[in-house]
């Protein structure tokens, strides 16, 4: 077993990075490449917009996550028994898409395309449950920030490769070879989990899991919510990313209104994404040094300052140096704060309940943030961009006292329990 201060082995870090990168590859294909390709082939905008509904498995996975925690393969191992078949399913689908003529796929075979994409999302979202559970078990407390850096960075790299990278490759390599390369990369990302001896290193302990059968869903999540301090932690989850959720959807529309072209926005997006990846990696390293409380408070403060600073750009869109400075700072702060939040989420996961416990927390965090993000355009129209960004920063600051209160109550509960 790893000690609390032991740095994970390089093989463990490579394993987790490969799994999260593998999840980012199909996500980038669905979110960035396919909408462009569909429109180029004349698919109606309304149908392209409805593709967002194919992401429903990511929202609904909380309903079957307890079964991923409970059911284990006696031959492949617990998490590995889920990850390998699901990743092979995604590889098979991407390979199949590479063999189909795109002219037919986007026309007469469009329903087939929809069905395959839904299956990809179902497989990838279920695999994410098992991957998160595996990450919680593999990473000691101090190094969970670094582990979540790999999660954020690996996923974003995968999305960049199959999003921007795939679109660039299409012009040179064409549909068939470009998708074949995505499938080949997925095969490469499967090698570490294929070689991982989970049954020996992380044996499944069914006596610590919920009994299977009717009522598993209710028993599982009731047990999590009854943990000491969980209600305060849920308040942190609901509030910590609200400021970012409110302000970030309006950054690009604001720049469009100030005359930024698609090329200029694309360059800004690419560079800021790379800076966000670097921020996530730095955040993970700092988490190991400064601990959970100071990481959440410090990175949360940077996040609030970053989104509020966008108000300085409302009348300064022509100053590209200022835009880049503020945008890159905001993205770095977002990466750092996300890593810290995910790392503390891992602390709340119970043994043999890791996948579903992490999934529920992630779903809670996204729920209110999604609703607030959906209202950002309306609020920007009513209040103006400047008031929106300042309000988003204030909202981010208001979450920090909740973080402090949660940790103080947790420390007090630990003292009482020790006595």
């Amino acid at each position: 077993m790893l000690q609390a201060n032991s740095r994970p082995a390089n093989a463990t870090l490579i394993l987790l990075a490969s799994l999260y990168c593998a999840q980012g590859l199909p996500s980038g294909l669905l979110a960035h490449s396919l909408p462009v390709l569909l429109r180029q082939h004349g698919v109606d905008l309304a149908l392209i917009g409805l593709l967002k509904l194919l992401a429903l498995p990511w929202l609904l996975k909380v309903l079957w996550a307890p079964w991923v925690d409970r059911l284990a393969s006696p031959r492949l191992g617990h998490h590995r028994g889920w990850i390998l078949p699901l990743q092979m399913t995604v590889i098979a689908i991407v390979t199949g898409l590479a063999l189909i003529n795109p002219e037919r796929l986007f026309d007469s075979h469009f329903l087939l395309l929809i069905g395959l994409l839904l299956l990809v999302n179902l497989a990838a979202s279920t695999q994410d449950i098992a991957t998160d559970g595996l990450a919680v078990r593999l990473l000691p407390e101090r190094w969970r920030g670094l582990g979540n850096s790999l999660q954020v960075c690996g996923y974003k790299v995968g999305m960049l490769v199959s999003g921007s990278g795939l679109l660039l490759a299409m012009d040179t390599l064409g549909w068939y070879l470009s998708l074949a390369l995505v499938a080949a990369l997925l095969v490469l990302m499967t090698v570490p989990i294929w070689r991982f001896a989970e049954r020996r290193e992380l044996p499944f302990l069914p006596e610590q899991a919920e009994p299977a059968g009717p009522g598993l869903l209710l028993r599982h999540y009731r047990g999590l919510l009854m943990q000491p301090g969980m209600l305060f932690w849920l308040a942190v989850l609901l509030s910590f990313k609200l400021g970012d959720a409110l302000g970030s959807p309006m950054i690009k529309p604001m720049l469009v209104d100030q005359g930024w072209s698609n090329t200029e926005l694309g360059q800004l997006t690419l560079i800021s994404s790379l800076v966000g990846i670097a921020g996530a990696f730095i955040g993970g390293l700092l988490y190991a040094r400064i601990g959970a409380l100071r990481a959440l408070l410090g990175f949360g403060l940077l996040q609030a300052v970053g989104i509020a600073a966008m108000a300085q750009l409302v009348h300064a869109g022509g100053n590209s140096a200022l835009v880049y400075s503020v945008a890159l700072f905001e993205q770095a702060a977002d990466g750092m704060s996300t890593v810290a939040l995910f790392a503390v989420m891992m602390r709340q996961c119970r043994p043999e309940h890791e996948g579903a416990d992490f999934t529920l927390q992630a779903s809670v965090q996204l729920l209110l943030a999604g609703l607030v993000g959906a209202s950002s355009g309306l609020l920007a129209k009513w209040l103006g961009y400047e008031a929106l960004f300042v309000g988003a920063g204030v909202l981010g600051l208001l979450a920090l006292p909740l973080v402090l209160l949660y940790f103080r109550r947790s420390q007090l509960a630990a003292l009482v329990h020790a006595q």
Side-chain angles (χ1 to χ4, degrees):
M1 287 292 292
L2 287 167
Q3 299 299 315
N5 292 325
S6 298
R7 180 184 177 278
N10 289 336
T12 298
L13 300 180
I14 292 172
L15 169 65
L16 295 177
S18 68
L19 289 176
Y20 286 116
C21 186
Q23 288 178 203
L25 284 170
S27 296
L29 174 65
L30 296 172
H32 299 300
S33 295
L34 275 174
V36 174
L37 297 170
L38 288 169
R39 190 57 183 162
Q40 288 176 346
H41 285 81
V43 176
D44 187 79
L45 288 174
L47 287 176
I48 295 175
L50 288 176
L51 288 179
K52 292 291 185 182
L53 294 176
L54 297 177
L56 276 177
W58 289 91
L59 298 176
L60 300 177
K61 65 178 180 174
V62 68
L63 299 178
W64 59 84
W67 278 269
V68 176
D69 275 340
R70 181 64 186 88
L71 302 177
S73 166
R75 187 170 65 88
L76 296 176
H78 184 189
H79 304 91
R80 187 169 174 267
W82 286 94
I83 294 170
L84 275 176
L86 291 168
Q87 193 150 308
M88 295 303 292
T89 299
V90 175
I91 291 171
I93 293 173
V94 174
T95 302
L97 290 175
L99 298 175
I100 302 175
N101 186 317
E103 300 294 337
R104 292 184 178 180
L105 195 61
F106 299 143
D107 187 10
S108 58
H109 293 4
F110 188 71
L111 289 180
L112 173 64
L113 173 65
I114 294 298
L116 291 175
L117 295 180
L118 181 61
L119 190 55
V120 166
N121 273 311
L122 181 61
S125 62
T126 305
Q127 178 186 330
D128 183 58
I129 300 167
T131 301
D132 288 337
L134 179 63
V136 175
R137 294 198 66 191
L138 282 173
L139 295 169
E141 164 62 26
R142 181 184 175 190
W143 294 100
R144 283 176 176 166
L146 178 59
N148 280 285
S149 295
L150 296 176
Q151 175 180 358
V152 174
C153 297
Y155 191 84
K156 286 190 174 184
V157 167
M159 288 196 73
L160 281 173
V161 169
S162 60
S164 303
L166 185 63
L167 289 175
L168 291 171
M170 286 280 184
D171 288 340
T172 304
L173 303 177
W175 168 266
Y176 304 105
L177 188 54
S178 297
L179 279 187
L181 285 176
V182 173
L185 286 172
L186 283 167
V187 170
L188 182 62
M189 296 297 102
T190 307
V191 173
I193 188 65
W194 181 269
R195 295 174 58 85
F196 178 55
E198 183 181 7
R199 286 194 301 164
R200 184 182 72 246
E201 297 189 26
L202 290 176
F204 180 47
L205 304 174
E207 65 275 7
Q208 296 186 17
E210 306 286 344
L216 173 61
L217 185 70
L218 179 61
R219 289 194 304 271
H220 192 112
Y221 291 130
R222 184 171 57 191
L224 173 63
L225 297 175
M226 294 299 290
Q227 296 295 302
M230 184 52 65
L231 292 181
F232 281 92
W233 175 243
L234 289 179
V236 173
L237 279 179
L238 287 168
S239 62
F240 190 72
K241 300 292 287 185
L242 281 188
D244 178 69
L246 177 63
S248 58
M250 290 297 106
I251 295 174
K252 288 179 183 176
M254 174 190 67
L255 293 175
V256 169
D257 288 349
Q258 296 186 56
W260 279 58
S261 68
N262 288 341
T263 300
E264 291 171 326
L265 287 172
Q267 291 173 346
L268 177 64
T269 300
L270 176 60
I271 295 172
S272 61
S273 296
L274 294 174
V275 170
I277 291 172
F281 183 72
I282 293 170
L285 294 176
L286 289 175
Y287 182 94
R289 289 184 173 273
I290 66 179
L293 173 59
R294 284 187 287 181
L296 276 181
L297 289 176
F299 301 162
L301 176 61
L302 292 177
Q303 175 183 255
V305 170
I307 201 67
M310 287 292 168
Q312 298 295 316
L313 306 182
V314 173
H315 304 295
N319 188 342
S320 59
L322 180 62
V323 171
Y324 267 86
S325 298
V326 174
L328 298 187
F329 177 84
E330 189 274 333
Q331 276 295 295
D334 178 58
M336 295 168 76
S337 62
T338 300
V339 161
L341 183 66
F342 285 3
V344 182
M345 283 163 57
M346 286 184 169
R347 295 177 57 177
Q348 318 302 321
C349 298
R350 299 163 292 161
E352 298 299 346
H353 299 70
E354 295 91 352
D357 284 1
F358 192 89
T359 296
L360 179 65
Q361 293 178 77
S363 298
V364 167
Q365 186 263 319
L366 288 173
L367 179 63
L368 189 56
L371 294 174
V372 168
S375 69
S376 61
L378 204 56
L379 289 174
K381 185 177 179 179
W382 288 344
L383 305 174
Y385 289 126
E386 193 168 3
L388 176 78
F389 290 128
V390 171
V394 171
L395 196 57
L397 291 176
L398 292 177
L400 301 185
L402 288 174
V403 172
L404 193 58
L405 179 62
Y406 164 73
F407 275 91
R408 285 186 173 176
R409 289 185 66 89
S410 297
Q411 292 168 356
L412 183 60
L415 289 174
V416 171
H417 182 72
Q419 293 174 354

